Amino acid sequence: MGADKVIPFPGRKALQQGNKPLGELGDDELMLLARGGVKEAFDTLVRRHQAGVLRVAGKMLGRASLARDVAQSTFLEIYRFLPNYHATGRFRRFLYKVLLNQCRTARRSAKQVLKMQARLFQEPQENSDMPDERIIARERRRELERLLFKLSKKLREVLVLRFAGGLSYGEIGEVLDLPAGTVKSRLFAGLEKLRRLMKGKNI
Amino acid sequence: MNDISSRELFLYLEGEVTKRRSAEIEQHLEACQACRERLQRRREMLESLAEPDEELEGVDLVEGVRRLVEEQGKQPAKKRRKLPAVSVRIGLLLVALAGAVALWFATAEKDEFRIKSASPAVHEQDRWVGVRAFKIGKGEKPDPLAGRVGRGDFLLFAYTNQGEKPFPCMMILAVGADRRVHWFYPAYTSEGTDPCSIPIEGNVTGAELLEKIRHDFAPGPLYIYGLFTRKPLKVSEVEALIKGIEPGQRIPLKDSAQHVLETAVSP
């Protein structure tokens, strides 16, 4: 039998930390405070995770405006879930699970997919003010995003969560309900396939 | 040493090779420009994958999310209709109450918590799990159920999950005198949803659950079930099984552990 332990209780912890700035509290503590009506706590959560959420949504959807909408609706879903949230230290996994579901729903709309493809295949707009290096990097990124859509959904989701979201293999496994070993094999299979596609395009 | 395979270069970039292999790869890279270039191309590929769209760089969602929450975020209050309205004051009170319960747990005698006694009728797995319920009445002070619960009382729970193979999933529900099923974990207050068991920690005693929850119980006997399972179950599955048993009886589920608390609701 393992040693007894008591799960740290976020409410008590938050209480003990007294006037500690919200930015220094953990995700679970912020969720608890948000549930208690502290609006700033939820703002802090949004601010903390928005960059990762936008990066993942951007890669999953291929269109910035759609990604922004999906990111916002993801946070709305999280807010709606506040009363049922269980503070088990898995906020990030929960967040990305909701985000991925939102992305899948958005992608199911044929209209949006068509628009997205039109955006991906359109010629990039020239911006004379942009340095050459940035233009090259942007083109490489756009081509890579286009090639990402040639991968199966299974491989694409793992790659995006790992590199755009910065999730660990364990976290990805929990988001996608997969064992960590499967996450790894999909990740390296996806990278290899993407690399081969890039080679075919001389990128 | 031959050129390093493409897969291994990715593994190296991800820090997924052994220290020894990593040193060998680095030694090879020093001597082989072709492999250095291959590695650099793969590194750039990973960097590109992590780069955001320039239109999304520096975007601040806070205002937009706030607006959405104000327009459409009212659902939580409806879902949790038995909980008090959310406000800062009540939120802080909740936190304070939870703290009081935590303190109460910390000072309680350990043997008060159940590791079920070894009666022949008890299933082997049931010995290592348990739930404990506390009521919060008018005094706002959590008390053990002690065989009786008031109709307007809030309930709080803690669980124990021990044994060689602790369970990953749990549900807490109550069956009343009117045979109605009241759900605590998972929360189930919206028609048309079918939530699942909650994930729990293993090797814990007296792990505190966060929420205080109130239901409108019918006066009379009330059976509170702690249902521990290997896989998450849906509320509908468990309700279907409960229909076939008498209140208080074991739910017919294989590879589960159960703890039933018998109490009574005051009129």
Side-chain angles (χ1 to χ4, degrees), chain A residues 1 4 7 9 11 35-36 43 50 55 59 79-80 83-84 86 119 138 141 162-163 169 184 192, chain B residues 6 14 16 49-51 53-54 61 66 72-73 76 86-87 98 128 162 185 187 201 208 210-211:
Chain A
M1 192 193 297
D4 286 1
I7 297 173
F9 189 73
R35 176 156 58 195
D43 292 349
Q50 62 186 358
R55 270 200 307 274
K59 301 278 185 228
Y79 181 86
R80 285 174 170 165
N84 301 323
H86 296 292
R119 176 258 187 227
R138 185 188 66 183
R141 180 182 54 72
R162 173 71 188 136
F163 298 105
Y169 300 151
K184 261 188 180 177
E192 273 303 298
Chain B
S6 178
E14 276 286 275
E16 287 292 317
L49 277 172
E51 267 174 35
D53 191 312
E54 66 262 27
L61 297 175
R66 267 200 170 192
Q72 303 170 38
V86 177
S87 72
W128 305 106
Q162 294 282 3
Y185 294 93
E201 296 280 325
E208 309 141 2
L210 207 58
E211 295 159 331

Side-chain angles (χ1 to χ4, degrees), chain A residues 9-13 15 32, chain B residues 83-84 88-106 134-143 153-157 208-214:
Chain A
F9 189 73
R12 183 179 49 186
K13 220 169 143 189
L15 201 69
L32 182 77
Chain B
L83 277 180
V88 176
R89 190 174 291 179
I90 292 173
L92 289 174
L93 181 65
L94 266 173
V95 170
L97 278 169
V101 172
L103 192 67
W104 193 90
F105 278 129
F134 302 87
K135 58 186 175 189
I136 301 176
K138 286 175 187 167
E140 299 286 357
K141 180 178 161 289
D143 292 310
D153 287 353
F154 285 92
L155 295 184
L156 276 160
F157 296 92
E208 309 141 2
L209 292 167
L210 207 58
E211 295 159 331
K212 61 170 196 169
I213 303 163
R214 183 170 61 189

